[in-house]
Amino acid sequence: MKPSLVVVGSLNMDFVVQVEHLPAPGETVLGRDFQMIPGGKGANQACAAGKLGGPAVSVRMAGRVGYDLFADHLKASLSAAGVDVTAVHATKSQPTGVALIWVDRSGQNSIVVASGANHALLPNDVGAMRQSFRGARFVLFQLETPLDTVELALVAAREEGARTILDPAPARPLSREFLAAVDILTPNESEACHLLGRPVTRVSQADAPALARDLQALGPRTVILKLGEQGCFCLDGERGIQARGFPVEARDTTAAGDTFNASLAVALTEGKPMEEALRFANGAAAISVTRLGAQASVPSRREVEEFLLSR
Ligand code: RIB
């Protein structure tokens, strides 16, 4: 079956340790237990889309892994979520990507990514992706793979008739040409400030419209500012939409943004109006922060629907 959503991006094995507080430079902290949990921004989005998508949504992941056990594990995690992994290719020159993650008592984290094979997703891989893009409603991107590959794939996705969603994470400088190929841009507050070359500050719902307009001027038609527990602000063409968040007790914020993007894409693919898609995405992301880990924290569709009914 042709995929209706394609995710182009990273696959990492996450090495997660819970700590009382995040270590300062030069500090050693004693952590609690260690866990290996499937992650990587791209794979998290694919996994979440696979889990949350209804029968009308089929998901394919495109990316690179090494020839190792982590690769098998990561592909198995995606397959279990119903994701087609035929466009995840192994590369001999690099090991599978890994991420070292500390999570503190308040659920905040620090992440270091050793990109490995994700760095081997090269511009000349884009030709083979085109076939997957053809007929897809959306292609989802993030920034853990080489930027020249992402830029070329954004353009190719558009040429094949798909709409593009970019999660500009982790924050990296992006050219106007790059951003011009994005239909929906979904930064969090610090990524938004980075893209505009401004000092990172907290952004309230009141500040959001002006910030979103400045980002829209860089190219994307739709800007969705992810504002954590405040929810999000969406500037869709001329229309501003505030979608409130759902306060929850945070255990681990890892992959909340990935869960948001995937849920948004699923809801829009199903033809839901933007307001409803934002509420669905806020609900799924809120549940994910109550759980430890990346792909392990993604809720099922039923859980999201029950959560939203109870609010
Ligand atoms: O967005 C969360 C992800 O960032 C983690 O799963 C980790 O792999 C890093 O890529």
Side-chain angles (χ1 to χ4, degrees), residues 10-16 37-45 97-101 109 111-113 118 142 144 167 169-170 253-259 293-295:
S10 58
L11 302 94
N12 297 327
M13 182 55 83
D14 292 351
F15 289 34
V16 185
I37 303 175
K41 292 187 192 302
N44 296 343
Q45 294 188 5
V98 297
L100 309 178
I101 303 183
N109 60 40
I111 304 183
V112 175
V113 176
N118 295 305
Q142 332 70 39
E144 285 188 331
D167 189 1
T253 56
T254 309
D258 300 329
T259 304
Q295 288 168 38

Side-chain angles (χ1 to χ4, degrees), residues 167-294:
D167 189 1
R172 297 170 75 176
L174 301 176
S175 68
R176 275 186 181 260
E177 294 71 42
F178 190 110
L179 288 166
V182 175
D183 290 304
I184 304 180
L185 179 72
T186 64
N188 65 19
E189 34 199 355
S190 69
E191 290 147 8
C193 295
H194 271 112
L195 284 172
L196 291 165
R198 298 180 187 165
V200 174
T201 48
R202 286 237 62 192
V203 176
S204 66
Q205 280 279 13
D207 309 323
L211 195 61
R213 261 194 306 279
D214 292 346
L215 288 163
Q216 198 182 47
L218 300 177
R221 183 186 183 277
T222 303
V223 173
I224 300 174
L225 280 169
K226 295 189 274 198
L227 301 172
E229 69 277 8
Q230 296 180 78
C232 61
F233 176 79
C234 170
L235 184 62
D236 191 22
E238 294 292 301
R239 201 161 61 104
I241 306 166
Q242 280 189 338
R244 70 176 179 87
F246 300 102
V248 289
E249 198 164 323
R251 179 151 182 239
D252 178 9
T253 56
T254 309
D258 300 329
T259 304
F260 179 99
N261 275 45
S263 321
L264 177 85
V266 161
L268 293 175
T269 298
E270 291 172 348
K272 294 198 167 60
M274 185 58 93
E275 285 83 350
E276 222 179 296
L278 296 171
R279 182 173 148 80
F280 185 68
N282 277 335
I287 299 174
S288 79
V289 307
T290 64
R291 301 171 179 171
L292 184 73

